[in-house]
Amino acid sequence: MNGYDTYENRVREKIDVRIKNSNYGSYLRSFSNHMNALAENTVLNYVNLVNEFLSFTGKSPEKLTMEDYDNFMVSKRDTVSGTQVLTYHALSHFASFMYASGKADKNLMEYVRRPKFRESRETVSKRERGYLTEEEIKVFLNNVKNGCGNELAKAKQKDWVERDMCLVLIALTTGLRRAALYKLDVDDIDFENNTITVVDKGDKIQEYDIAENVVPYIKAWLEKRNANSPSERALFLSNRGTRMTAGSIYACVKKYGADIEGKSISPHKLRASYGTALYEKTHDIYFVSKAMGHAGVEVTKRYIRGKENQIRKDAANMINGVVF
């Protein structure tokens, strides 16, 4: 089974478990079927939120009112802005489903206001610290090459140095999301054209060029990998010879950044580092947005917040020299 199908099956299993364990299972099953055009991970998020909403009201879905939708949105007021927007979309899809299936006389979410996306000072501060500087990238890669932690940990890491270097270098030079890294198969690598083909967020098929200096690291891992598990399709294997899970990819990245002060390194931080580095080189937010596969520059701005602030400071100093 290829990486995409494996990932989708795992998400479907999570959806099935949520539905099975819910007091509203029959409604959630019909609701999930209604969303068959959406990505499986989106369906999972919406099913989880709608289950929380229905449990919050304690009502039969047919007896829901606009006030119930409003009250649940108010209950999310102290959560981060992104969670509020995601909740709104989940409830909107559910209200549409209720109306389309004849279980409600009207789409009650038509009367509920969409929350505006706002970032708190704390969130902005976290984003400004959410990437690795060039010096920190060197420290991080050195940790992967030579190991980190105690001697026993280093000895275990040495057995997987080729895999881990391959993984983090692909992440740092393409900005791939963790889910995309999980889905990668050996045959997604094309050395003739030096490209990687992935199924990314929203089930979009994307092709990324492999940086010239990264090619030897991929080949080194494939040589070692193929000698041990030639029949497995996954690019990144666990110590059991099976596809690395999303959780094990996260743990792999995190351990190598443990001694970088003030930063907890994750695959998402590597993606942010990729976007920030591109912006430092180009100062072209539209170029970075395209490279990262964002739907628009507003999303990209969240990644390079600190760099935009620095440009504004430089601009203020420049204009100060002109005026005074």
Side-chain angles (χ1 to χ4, degrees):
M1 187 179 295
N2 64 31
Y4 174 78
D5 290 337
T6 302
Y7 179 82
E8 295 291 289
N9 285 345
R10 281 181 177 267
V11 176
R12 288 189 197 106
E13 287 172 4
K14 291 180 181 180
I15 294 170
D16 289 339
V17 168
R18 167 55 66 206
I19 291 172
K20 182 180 179 180
N21 294 333
S22 173
N23 293 327
Y24 301 92
S26 61
Y27 293 96
L28 295 179
R29 174 63 66 194
S30 297
F31 176 50
S32 67
N33 292 338
H34 182 69
M35 295 187 289
N36 59 44
L38 300 181
E40 293 291 344
N41 208 49
T42 300
V43 174
L44 175 61
N45 287 331
Y46 286 2
V47 165
N48 282 334
L49 282 165
V50 168
N51 180 66
E52 183 185 348
F53 165 59
L54 295 175
S55 299
F56 173 85
T57 66
K59 289 183 175 182
S60 169
E62 286 90 351
K63 295 182 179 179
L64 292 171
T65 65
M66 184 197 73
E67 286 76 12
D68 292 319
Y69 287 92
D70 260 333
N71 289 339
F72 188 65
M73 289 302 304
V74 169
S75 76
K76 294 290 184 179
R77 192 163 46 192
D78 293 331
T79 62
V80 296
S81 188
T83 298
Q84 295 178 46
V85 173
L86 182 65
T87 301
Y88 176 85
H89 286 308
L91 296 191
S92 294
H93 276 274
F94 184 68
S96 175
F97 155 73
M98 290 294 291
Y99 177 58
S101 62
K103 294 179 174 65
D105 295 332
K106 58 182 73 174
N107 184 340
L108 295 174
M109 278 298 288
E110 288 184 0
Y111 308 97
V112 178
R113 288 187 176 183
R114 184 185 189 279
K116 292 182 179 179
F117 187 89
R118 294 189 179 93
E119 288 187 296
S120 66
R121 288 184 180 274
E122 181 182 1
T123 303
V124 171
S125 179
K126 283 182 179 179
R127 288 192 185 279
E128 291 180 355
R129 302 192 307 271
Y131 62 91
L132 295 171
T133 64
E134 287 190 29
E135 286 305 312
E136 288 169 340
I137 288 175
K138 290 176 183 177
V139 171
F140 180 76
L141 291 177
N142 184 67
N143 287 345
V144 182
K145 288 179 182 177
N146 300 309
C148 58
N150 58 37
E151 291 307 312
L152 179 60
K154 288 181 179 179
K156 290 180 179 179
Q157 292 159 17
K158 189 175 182 180
D159 291 336
W160 295 96
V161 63
E162 292 88 357
R163 180 200 68 184
D164 295 350
M165 280 298 294
C166 178
L167 191 155
V168 300
L169 284 172
I170 287 177
L172 278 168
T173 57
T174 63
L176 284 184
R177 297 174 175 88
R178 177 171 53 159
L181 292 168
Y182 168 86
K183 296 174 190 175
L184 279 177
D185 293 326
V186 172
D187 54 13
D188 291 329
I189 309 295
D190 178 359
F191 286 118
E192 184 175 343
N193 297 300
N194 273 359
T195 58
I196 299 175
T197 303
V198 301
V199 181
D200 212 338
K201 189 175 182 179
D203 291 346
K204 296 177 181 176
I205 298 177
Q206 308 276 15
E207 188 175 88
Y208 293 84
D209 287 321
I210 303 172
E212 184 178 347
N213 292 339
V214 176
V215 172
Y217 290 96
I218 299 177
K219 288 183 175 180
W221 162 238
L222 285 176
E223 183 177 350
K224 184 172 184 177
R225 177 208 172 284
N226 292 341
N228 295 309
S229 297
S231 61
E232 172 61 51
R233 298 183 68 177
L235 178 60
F236 300 119
L237 301 179
S238 69
N239 56 9
R240 298 186 301 276
T242 58
R243 183 180 300 273
M244 287 181 77
T245 65
S248 59
I249 290 174
Y250 178 91
C252 174
V253 171
K254 184 178 177 64
K255 68 186 176 190
Y256 292 120
D259 61 354
I260 298 178
E261 188 175 351
K263 295 182 180 179
S264 178
I265 307 306
S266 66
H268 191 72
K269 294 291 195 305
L270 299 187
R271 176 170 164 78
S273 301
Y274 166 79
T276 303
L278 285 183
Y279 189 73
E280 284 183 329
K281 298 295 184 184
T282 66
H283 294 310
D284 186 341
I285 195 168
Y286 294 96
F287 172 82
V288 178
S289 183
K290 287 286 187 183
M292 298 188 75
H294 287 153
V297 295
E298 290 305 314
V299 178
T300 313
K301 285 179 181 178
R302 298 175 211 155
Y303 282 78
I304 48 87
R305 174 81 65 181
K307 295 304 171 185
E308 282 216 313
N309 288 344
Q310 184 59 50
I311 286 176
R312 293 189 186 103
K313 289 177 184 177
D314 293 343
N317 289 333
M318 289 177 189
I319 201 67
N320 185 62
V322 172
V323 176
F324 297 101

